Amino acid sequence: MKRFYLIGFLLLMGFDTLAQISFKYAGTQALPVEASLAWLLRVFGQPWVYGAVIGYVGAFFTWMALLKHAPIGPAFAASHLEVVSVMLLSIWLFDEHLDLPRILGALCILAGIVCLGLAESREHVPDADPARG
């Protein structure tokens, strides 16, 4: 089951990251915003819009499959790993800066996931002595 969780959360992070990065690229192509058919055709002519749709649809179905089996606390926390992955990819793809508040925020997200995962694993440790009640 742990392999299912690992693969599932990596897949969820991949889909969420694809959606966010695709929206960023699509947003740069959408400017200037206009209320016109030409603007809509220009936006929906960009492949990044479809990358975002694929990312969100994939993330939705992956999340639903994970929720069926995973404990909700760690699952919800781990679903926010894309914040860290998008931040790291944005440094490379969009020349965004990595500063101390972003590093601290990423570390807090990772620490929260680890803490919730450890707490959940301690709650579900089978009792070694079934005679104890």
Side-chain angles (χ1 to χ4, degrees), residues 14-122:
F15 279 128
D16 278 337
T17 302
L18 172 66
Q20 297 305 316
I21 296 296
S22 294
F23 264 128
K24 174 73 172 180
Y25 274 123
T28 61
Q29 304 295 318
L31 297 175
V33 177
E34 302 170 3
S36 69
L37 181 60
W39 179 79
L40 283 174
L41 292 174
R42 183 178 46 154
V43 168
F44 285 103
Q46 299 297 320
W48 293 108
V49 170
Y50 303 104
V53 171
I54 289 167
Y56 275 121
V57 169
F60 173 78
F61 285 109
T62 304
W63 179 239
M64 291 297 111
L66 283 168
L67 281 181
K68 185 175 180 180
H69 302 286
I72 189 68
F76 184 71
S79 72
H80 292 81
L81 277 172
E82 97 273 349
V83 173
V84 178
S85 64
V86 169
M87 178 190 70
L88 294 173
L89 279 172
S90 294
I91 294 165
W92 176 52
L93 296 172
F94 305 116
D95 294 323
E96 293 189 10
H97 301 287
L98 184 62
D99 52 9
L100 185 60
R102 289 180 182 165
I103 292 170
L104 292 175
L107 289 174
C108 287
I109 290 169
L110 295 174
I113 292 168
V114 169
C115 288
L116 284 171
L118 289 173
E120 186 68 31
S121 68
R122 287 186 183 146

